[in-house]
Amino acid sequence: KQEVTQIPAALSVPEGENLVLNCSFTDSAIYNLQWFRQDPGKGLTSLLLIQSSQREQTSGRLNASLDKSSGRSTLYIAASQPGDSATYLCAVLSRGDTGRRALTFGSGTRLQVQP
Amino acid sequence: EPEVTQTPSHQVTQMGQEVILRCVPISNHLYFYWYRQILGQKVEFLVSFYNNEISEKSEIFDDQFSVERPDGSNFTLKIRSTKLEDSAMYFCASSFGTVGNQPQHFGDGTRLSIL
């Protein structure tokens, strides 16, 4: 069964810092990995998608890497801003032992950027 | 940018009553999904839908649940006889395809409260 773990669970940093969020998954047979942002009481906003054949994706100040063989992904946020404060979720699309293709989510990292 | 819309944003229902949650996916998308997030827990996959039938469903999606695409734009989730443990945030998502380079786009969710 696919399990997704995110570390740390919470992170508080001063504005301007560069930071790294970690995601690990147990079954490396994935189709893709997505990073989402979730604001309180809101839906999920897709930030980056990395296909299983890719090593990284970049969008603005965000860079996500994927090491499929070791079951790890990192989300790097450069020059953090208070507006980056949110929960960041990692999700992998895989088939798993149930044979069902579905997104499996981590618990998220709750980020607070202090002005 | 096109988005997934969900109504209502908050639904309060008595235990045992039927509830229908509504979603309008992005217009050219072909695959539709429902997820739920119980307060403080991970986002969990419920069901995926393509070509007017269910393609995958999780163990959570039992006989109490059903999905329908009644017309060309709406996608609904029905819970037949609600239980207290059905209280959660329900997210609808859609994607153009299911291959590795197709992200899922999420709505803002419907908060379902069962009394």
Side-chain angles (χ1 to χ4, degrees), chain B residues 44-63:
Chain B
E44 302 172 287
F45 168 77
L46 292 178
V47 65
S48 59
F49 190 86
Y50 169 71
N51 199 26
N52 279 320
E53 60 184 29
I54 291 173
S55 11
E56 321 263 15
K57 60 181 182 178
S58 72
E59 300 83 7
I60 303 167
F61 195 88
D62 61 21
D63 292 344

Side-chain angles (χ1 to χ4, degrees), chain A residues 3-4 31-32 34 36 38 41-44 46 49 51 89 93 95 98-103 105-107, chain B residues 35 37 42-45 48 56-59 89 91 98-109 111:
Chain A
E3 298 281 353
V4 179
Y31 297 98
N32 63 42
Q34 258 182 285
F36 294 89
Q38 185 176 29
K42 291 287 196 177
L44 283 67
S46 181
L49 179 145
Q51 299 177 52
L89 299 175
L93 183 67
R95 199 166 278 281
T98 63
R100 180 190 321 117
R101 192 206 300 245
L103 273 178
F105 283 82
S107 298
Chain B
Y35 294 82
Q37 185 176 32
K42 293 183 179 184
V43 177
E44 302 172 287
F45 168 77
S48 59
E56 321 263 15
K57 60 181 182 178
S58 72
E59 300 83 7
M89 191 75 132
F91 294 108
T98 61
V99 297
N101 63 344
Q102 301 296 329
Q104 294 185 22
H105 297 266
F106 282 70
D108 280 347
R111 181 171 300 284

Side-chain angles (χ1 to χ4, degrees), chain B residues 19-98:
Chain B
V19 66
I20 297 176
L21 309 182
R22 303 180 192 279
C23 168
V24 179
I26 294 173
S27 62
N28 66 338
H29 284 186
L30 303 174
Y31 294 82
F32 315 113
Y33 314 86
W34 284 102
Y35 294 82
R36 79 170 185 192
Q37 185 176 32
I38 295 171
L39 188 64
Q41 298 187 23
K42 293 183 179 184
V43 177
E44 302 172 287
F45 168 77
L46 292 178
V47 65
S48 59
F49 190 86
Y50 169 71
N51 199 26
N52 279 320
E53 60 184 29
I54 291 173
S55 11
E56 321 263 15
K57 60 181 182 178
S58 72
E59 300 83 7
I60 303 167
F61 195 88
D62 61 21
D63 292 344
Q64 296 281 71
F65 292 89
S66 62
V67 288
E68 194 178 32
R69 188 154 163 83
D71 53 42
S73 59
N74 289 285
F75 179 52
T76 62
L77 174 69
K78 182 192 290 186
I79 309 175
R80 238 178 298 282
S81 177
T82 50
K83 303 186 282 266
L84 292 176
E85 53 265 37
D86 293 327
S87 295
M89 191 75 132
Y90 287 80
F91 294 108
C92 174
S94 68
S95 65
F96 183 73
T98 61

Side-chain angles (χ1 to χ4, degrees), chain A:
Chain A
K1 180 184 172 186
Q2 180 73 270
E3 298 281 353
V4 179
T5 303
Q6 292 188 246
I7 295 173
L11 185 61
S12 182
V13 300
E15 182 176 4
E17 269 203 13
N18 302 323
L19 52 101
V20 173
L21 309 182
N22 296 291
C23 171
S24 61
F25 46 95
T26 53
D27 182 354
S28 62
I30 66 171
Y31 297 98
N32 63 42
L33 183 147
Q34 258 182 285
W35 281 95
F36 294 89
R37 170 187 171 133
Q38 185 176 29
D39 293 282
K42 291 287 196 177
L44 283 67
T45 302
S46 181
L47 298 173
L48 289 165
L49 179 145
I50 311 178
Q51 299 177 52
S52 62
S53 58
Q54 296 178 322
R55 297 284 293 183
E56 65 177 340
Q57 280 288 339
T58 299
S59 176
R61 294 182 294 108
L62 305 180
N63 175 275
S65 67
L66 174 64
D67 184 344
K68 199 173 73 158
S69 60
S70 68
R72 292 180 187 176
S73 176
T74 60
L75 178 66
Y76 175 81
I77 303 177
S80 57
Q81 302 169 357
D84 295 331
S85 299
T87 296
Y88 290 80
L89 299 175
C90 166
V92 297
L93 183 67
S94 61
R95 199 166 278 281
D97 55 7
T98 63
R100 180 190 321 117
R101 192 206 300 245
L103 273 178
T104 303
F105 283 82
S107 298
T109 294
R110 194 169 60 255
L111 172 66
Q112 187 162 13
V113 181
Q114 310 285 356

